[in-house]
Amino acid sequence: MATKKIYLFCEAGMSTSIMVNKMMEVVKKHNMPLTIEAFPAIHAEEKVEQEKPVAILLGPQVRHLDSKMKATFEPMGIPVGTIATEAYGMMDGERALKDALSLIKKAKAKE
């Protein structure tokens, strides 16, 4: 089975890389075919063009980009959501991953 990608976007990619590690721990524990990567939000369009992810999550610090990202990527079939501030603050990779999977499921139901 091909590995699917979830992209996280934030200001600089620093704290989000910790969240990626926490989420990947859950992915590995459950042997899921997912790869999660973090990038600065200014590179969003370029990264998505290179390889289309199954979902995009925004760090709480760039939540102001939510509607722009949704307008850009949801027509391409890529759901966009913002990581809950509490999950981000606690670096709760499991909750962030569950939220991402829920986004993907909702997007598939709309198809």
Side-chain angles (χ1 to χ4, degrees), residues 69-106:
M69 293 278 201
K70 283 182 174 165
T72 304
F73 299 119
E74 288 189 344
M76 298 166 67
I78 305 168
V80 176
T82 298
I83 299 170
T85 307
E86 316 78 64
Y88 198 84
M90 302 288 289
M91 285 295 148
D92 185 343
E94 188 163 355
R95 175 162 174 208
L97 183 61
K98 281 180 182 173
D99 289 349
L101 296 174
S102 172
L103 263 181
I104 295 165
K105 202 174 188 177
K106 282 181 194 158

Side-chain angles (χ1 to χ4, degrees), residues 3 5 7 37 46-53 78:
T3 301
K5 292 187 179 288
Y7 287 167
E37 296 179 71
E46 162 194 342
K47 290 295 175 189
V48 171
E49 243 172 58
Q50 288 172 4
E51 194 166 348
K52 195 172 146 185
I78 305 168

Side-chain angles (χ1 to χ4, degrees), residues 13-95:
M14 297 305 184
S15 56
T16 311
S17 63
I18 298 167
M19 179 58 88
V20 166
N21 292 338
K22 297 289 186 184
M23 292 172 76
M24 284 304 296
E25 286 172 15
V26 180
V27 165
K28 288 178 180 133
K29 186 171 132 188
H30 296 287
N31 206 16
M32 302 166 97
L34 284 172
T35 301
I36 303 165
E37 296 179 71
F39 305 102
I42 57 168
H43 298 301
E45 289 183 44
E46 162 194 342
K47 290 295 175 189
V48 171
E49 243 172 58
Q50 288 172 4
E51 194 166 348
K52 195 172 146 185
V54 292
I56 291 171
L57 291 178
L58 303 176
Q61 66 276 49
V62 292
R63 80 166 54 85
H64 62 278
L65 298 174
D66 187 74
S67 53
K68 177 183 185 270
M69 293 278 201
K70 283 182 174 165
T72 304
F73 299 119
E74 288 189 344
M76 298 166 67
I78 305 168
V80 176
T82 298
I83 299 170
T85 307
E86 316 78 64
Y88 198 84
M90 302 288 289
M91 285 295 148
D92 185 343
E94 188 163 355
R95 175 162 174 208

